[in-house]
Amino acid sequence: MITAPNTAVSTWAPLRSRVYRALWIAQLVSNLGTWMQTVGAQWVLVDEPNAAVLVSFVQTAITLPVMLLAIPSGVIADLVDRRRLLLGAQSTMAVLAAVLAVSTATGHTTPAVLLTLLFLIGCGQALTGPAWQAIQPELVPREQIPSAAALGSMSINIGRAVGPAIAGVLVSLSGPTLVFVLNAVSFTGIVAVLTLWHRPTTDRQLPSERPLAALQAGTRFIKAAPAIRRVLLRSILFIAPASAVWALLPVIARDELGLSSSGYGLMLAALGIGAVLGAVGLSRLRTLMTPTQRLSTAAVLFGLASAGTALLHIVPLVLILLVFAGFAWLLAMSTMNSTMQLLLPAWVRARGLSVYLLVFMGGQAIGSLVWGVVAGAAGPVVALLIAAGLLALCAVSTVWLPISHNAENLDQTPSAFWPEPQVVVEPDPADGPVLVLRTYDVPPENLDEFITAMAFVGRSRQRTGAMEWRLYRDIGMLDRYVEAFVVRSWAEHMHQHQVRLTAQDQIREQEASKFTIGDDRITHLVAILPP
């Protein structure tokens, strides 16, 4: 039986950490600057020929780098010092934002210059995304990760709601240059905090993974982790229909409600207020609901808000519905984000989160495009009603496709519990593939339980580096079984031994060992001829 957690951790608990608090405040300011920059960039282009096309390119220039660079960025963030990576990327974005401000002030910001600079800034944001997410468990205790995820989502939603409103006022008073200047300044807070943060260093006893091998290792991990794939699937099922509201809200505001740009700003503010309320109430909801139940509730609330926004033409009622939509959005995002962070061990965390970011951003981008086409053909009201129906199906599907309910209880602490290989000839790190054979003696009465337990061990082997894994029966010996798995190289097998194994992997092996007798025997074979 699945039960909800019975201990409440305050949403604000992560802010007790001095470093987390400073980074969160700096990130909030930077989020405001980023959304202000978007409004300023769109304003620069409104008087250009083909303004409608050029304005749409602003969001494309900002989000396209995430689509292109999310996965490589995750690999890089797992291979290098994340603090230095963030510091370099944030400093570079500050310089690029300053160049945009100076260029605009001197009258040299053509559409090509603007879009190029926005694309480069977007590359910096893509580079920092996985690393930023991956450092969260380094800043707060494991039990506070869901609260930290909620605060992160709240920061983004406050930036999205408040930033454009501030920018609209500033642009109308003094033009876009001031907005670009403030965005450049907004990066300095993050740079200052990262500079002062003394991140604990770990001594490397093994050479770093090569980028391509690291990418393949991350891919194997996700393929062998059904719980993570389920979170990614649930992300798609929610984000794809939910993106309709974000994509069509300006059209609804203008055509269905007759609102001006300030009215649209109020609608965004309502979403932001809902996100803040969601963050405040998250700790209580976590004691009452499992993660799957929270996702189902979020889908229902967002679907009702989508349908109400489409059908109602009373502005106060629509604003109330959007508050619920903001609440639901934060509930879903924080649940999926925190579950991903809890399921991923440190060695592959950035790579796993980069896939989540790609799904999240890609779902929004492609979903917005699809809903724009649907609205163009059938109208925004019909598009939102279809989206509401899909969100209802999303909620129902949680019955058959739940996500992990015990991610918080999984112990992902590194645990180098394997004995060191006994070798008389030391292989080179690049030697391989490596075939590892492990022999077990299993009494007949324990065989079924042993096979069941070994299925989980096999996934552990594949998550930590095995390209192939099988369990064999030795037909020459009674009750003897041989586990065989292949690792790409000796260096990668040493990473398995010393870096990648966790306490959870140890628990899986101990469960299987309960059904064996005698000592296991391990053999390592290194290939000497190509296939």
Side-chain angles (χ1 to χ4, degrees), residues 319-363:
L319 292 176
I320 293 173
L321 287 173
L322 290 176
V323 170
F324 281 100
F327 180 97
W329 180 265
L330 183 129
L331 184 61
M333 294 303 102
S334 62
T335 298
M336 291 185 287
N337 186 291
S338 62
T339 302
M340 283 291 292
Q341 294 198 34
L342 291 166
L343 290 172
L344 289 164
W347 70 270
V348 75
R349 185 175 294 131
R351 276 166 279 186
L353 289 169
S354 70
V355 177
Y356 170 73
L357 290 173
L358 179 62
V359 169
F360 175 74
M361 297 298 294

Side-chain angles (χ1 to χ4, degrees), residues 96-460:
L96 291 170
V99 170
L100 177 58
V102 172
S103 175
T104 305
T106 57
H108 293 88
T109 302
T110 64
V113 169
L114 175 65
L115 294 174
T116 299
L117 288 172
L118 290 179
F119 180 81
L120 293 174
I121 294 172
C123 290
Q125 292 172 335
L127 192 62
T128 61
W132 187 269
Q133 295 286 339
I135 67 169
Q136 304 303 306
E138 300 179 34
L139 303 175
V140 299
R142 184 173 178 83
E143 64 272 11
Q144 293 181 11
I145 288 178
S147 298
L151 288 171
S153 298
M154 183 175 73
S155 171
I156 293 171
N157 281 280
I158 290 175
R160 175 182 277 181
V162 178
I166 296 174
V169 174
L170 294 179
V171 168
S172 65
L173 293 176
S174 60
T177 301
L178 178 59
V179 169
F180 295 149
V181 170
L182 292 175
N183 182 51
V185 173
S186 73
F187 288 104
T188 60
I190 296 179
V191 171
V193 176
L194 290 172
T195 301
L196 297 173
W197 176 32
H198 298 290
R199 183 176 183 248
T201 58
T202 55
D203 295 329
R204 287 184 179 271
Q205 299 179 348
L206 295 170
S208 296
E209 299 176 78
R210 295 183 177 181
L212 181 58
L215 176 61
Q216 292 170 336
T219 302
R220 284 195 297 270
F221 183 94
I222 292 175
K223 285 182 177 180
I228 289 176
R229 297 202 310 273
R230 181 63 56 81
V231 176
L232 296 175
L233 175 60
R234 293 245 54 99
S235 299
I236 294 172
L237 292 176
F238 178 82
I239 291 168
S243 63
V245 169
W246 296 105
L248 302 178
L249 201 60
V251 180
I252 293 292
R254 184 190 62 189
D255 297 344
E256 302 298 326
L257 299 177
L259 298 176
S260 63
S261 58
S262 60
Y264 173 57
L266 279 177
M267 298 175 81
L268 289 176
L271 287 164
I273 291 170
V276 173
L277 294 176
V280 171
L282 181 64
S283 60
R284 178 61 177 165
L285 290 176
R286 288 179 57 233
T287 65
L288 299 175
M289 299 179 179
T290 65
T292 299
Q293 290 167 343
R294 295 200 297 271
L295 290 181
S296 177
T297 301
V300 170
L301 287 177
F302 208 94
L304 290 173
S306 300
T309 301
L311 297 175
L312 298 176
H313 294 84
I314 304 172
V315 174
L317 292 180
V318 171
L319 292 176
I320 293 173
L321 287 173
L322 290 176
V323 170
F324 281 100
F327 180 97
W329 180 265
L330 183 129
L331 184 61
M333 294 303 102
S334 62
T335 298
M336 291 185 287
N337 186 291
S338 62
T339 302
M340 283 291 292
Q341 294 198 34
L342 291 166
L343 290 172
L344 289 164
W347 70 270
V348 75
R349 185 175 294 131
R351 276 166 279 186
L353 289 169
S354 70
V355 177
Y356 170 73
L357 290 173
L358 179 62
V359 169
F360 175 74
M361 297 298 294
Q364 278 198 292
I366 297 173
S368 296
L369 177 63
V370 170
W371 292 118
V373 172
V374 173
V381 171
V382 173
L384 283 179
L385 291 176
I386 294 173
L390 292 176
L391 284 164
L393 293 177
C394 173
V396 172
S397 70
T398 58
V399 175
W400 300 281
L401 298 171
I403 64 171
S404 174
H405 65 280
N406 65 338
E408 293 179 47
N409 299 323
L410 298 179
D411 189 351
Q412 302 289 11
T413 307
S415 177
F417 61 91
W418 281 358
E420 285 299 309
Q422 299 299 313
V423 298
V424 294
V425 178
E426 186 66 33
D428 282 339
D431 285 350
V434 178
L435 173 63
V436 182
L437 303 176
R438 189 164 188 171
T439 304
Y440 305 89
D441 292 322
V442 184
E445 63 271 18
N446 293 345
L447 182 58
D448 290 341
E449 293 90 343
F450 173 74
I451 292 175
T452 300
M454 286 301 293
F456 291 100
V457 172
R459 287 179 184 169
S460 167

